[in-house]
């Protein structure tokens, strides 16, 4: 039996920046013709090509888990930290409560955040958040 293996460029990965790796990244997206990555200690990096990366000035100090793009970039994480940017370079800090934000979503003109306690929050602008009433179980 002959087993043939092949690999193309997709399977060849090279660590670029920082070297050696200084932070754990939790999310990366591509929007506005750039890659944006977030992670530990509020770390945010951008890249036009996925090879050369630039560290951005982040007002967050907590790990960021969620990252989405609508007409702006929004990332959220530990301690309810939320950072918002129109260009992924200049970020503003706000909060959604004080618990870890696991996930973010956007649709129907609203942002929705889910925290580690299972509570949902909504915002029209990603800066001003309100907790949604918990759904009631139907008997």
């Amino acid at each position: 039996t002959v087993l043939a293996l092949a690999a193309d460029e997709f399977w060849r990965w090279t660590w670029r920046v920082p070297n050696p790796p200084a932070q754990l990244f939790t999310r990366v997206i591509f929007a506005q013709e750039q890659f944006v990555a977030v992670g530990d200690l509020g770390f945010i990096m951008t890249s036009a090509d996925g090879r050369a990366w630039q560290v951005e000035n982040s007002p967050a100090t907590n790990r960021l888990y969620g990252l989405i793009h609508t007409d702006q970039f929004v990332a959220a994480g530990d301690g309810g930290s939320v950072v918002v940017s129109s260009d992924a370079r200049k970020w503003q800090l706000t909060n959604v409560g004080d618990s870890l934000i696991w996930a973010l979503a956007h649709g129907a003109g609203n942002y929705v955040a889910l925290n580690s306690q299972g509570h949902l929050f909504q915002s029209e602008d990603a800066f001003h958040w309100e907790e949604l009433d918990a759904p009631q179980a139907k008997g």
Side-chain angles (χ1 to χ4, degrees):
T1 301
V2 176
L3 179 61
L5 298 174
D8 59 17
E9 291 299 315
F10 178 77
W11 298 107
R12 295 182 190 167
W13 292 88
T14 303
W15 185 264
R16 296 290 181 181
V17 172
N19 194 8
Q23 305 298 329
L24 170 69
F25 291 101
T26 55
R27 292 287 184 274
V28 62
I29 62 172
F30 184 81
Q32 291 184 356
E33 302 298 318
Q34 64 186 327
F35 293 95
V36 179
V38 299
D40 277 353
L41 304 173
F43 213 64
I44 301 171
M45 293 184 75
T46 58
S47 173
D49 61 7
R51 293 176 185 261
W53 290 84
Q54 176 176 324
V55 176
E56 302 300 343
N57 187 14
S58 172
T61 56
N62 297 327
R63 179 180 290 175
L64 299 170
Y65 290 96
L67 175 62
I68 61 173
H69 180 266
T70 58
D71 58 338
Q72 59 189 357
F73 294 91
V74 181
D78 283 340
S81 295
V82 175
V83 290
V84 181
S85 175
S86 62
D87 62 4
R89 301 224 174 350
K90 297 176 188 166
W91 294 84
Q92 293 179 285
L93 178 67
T94 187
N95 279 72
V96 178
D98 57 6
S99 295
L100 179 145
I101 301 299
W102 280 113
L104 290 170
H106 183 268
N110 286 299
Y111 294 91
V112 176
L114 172 67
N115 76 6
S116 58
Q117 298 170 339
H119 298 182
L120 290 170
F121 298 82
Q122 77 88 39
S123 173
E124 292 180 2
D125 61 6
F127 287 99
H128 304 93
W129 295 86
E130 65 179 318
E131 187 171 357
L132 299 174
D133 291 334
Q136 301 296 314
K138 295 184 179 182

